[in-house]
Amino acid sequence: MNRRYTVDLAGIMRLYETNYAKLLPLLPKSEAVGEECAYQVGGHDYKLRILESTRYTTLIQLQMETDTGLPEYLVPTFKVRLYHDARVAEVCSIQQISRLKPRYDYPNMRMHQKDEKHQVNRFLGDWLAYCLKNGLSKQSVY
């Protein structure tokens, strides 16, 4: 039986809330645009940079720093919007996918999964949990 995929709104909102809570301790001390902090996780360096900051939202970029000469499309990069009034964080773009729809028909031209947006946000949550458990800050604590 081929049932049409429907978005689990309660589940994705829980995911957004936990991602927000995981991101808060990783953010730079200042919310000014351009502020950044660096972390080392599993032998790789990652940079978290604030791209936009308004009263109710902050747009951040998480990117792996690499010297290996990898093409840009292979370097892990997230753009995540934090909504401070709702206390949720949502992935806006990842790699070369700039706008994620809540649901895709399958098959589709870009071969996105039916629940691509949910999977990307779940990946962010898993990655943040790993960073919080195993990562080291490269900044001074003072």
Side-chain angles (χ1 to χ4, degrees), residues 3 5 7 11-12 55-56 76 78-79 86 101 107 109 133:
R3 293 184 358 198
Y5 170 75
V7 176
I12 203 156
R55 184 175 180 181
Y56 297 109
F78 290 92
K79 285 189 182 168
K101 295 180 184 178
M109 293 294 289
K133 184 177 179 183

Side-chain angles (χ1 to χ4, degrees), residues 32-91:
V33 172
E35 285 292 315
E36 53 187 43
C37 48
Y39 298 96
Q40 186 174 38
V41 184
H44 298 286
D45 293 333
Y46 292 88
K47 191 174 286 185
L48 188 150
R49 180 179 299 121
I50 296 181
L51 302 177
E52 291 176 13
S53 184
T54 66
R55 184 175 180 181
Y56 297 109
T57 66
T58 302
L59 180 65
I60 63 168
Q61 177 176 301
L62 293 162
Q63 184 171 21
M64 183 174 140
E65 297 292 302
T66 179
D67 296 346
T68 61
L70 284 174
E72 188 176 320
Y73 66 89
L74 289 177
V75 176
T77 304
F78 290 92
K79 285 189 182 168
V80 181
R81 184 163 309 273
L82 289 84
Y83 298 90
H84 303 297
D85 52 345
R87 302 187 60 81
V88 296
E90 172 186 24
V91 175

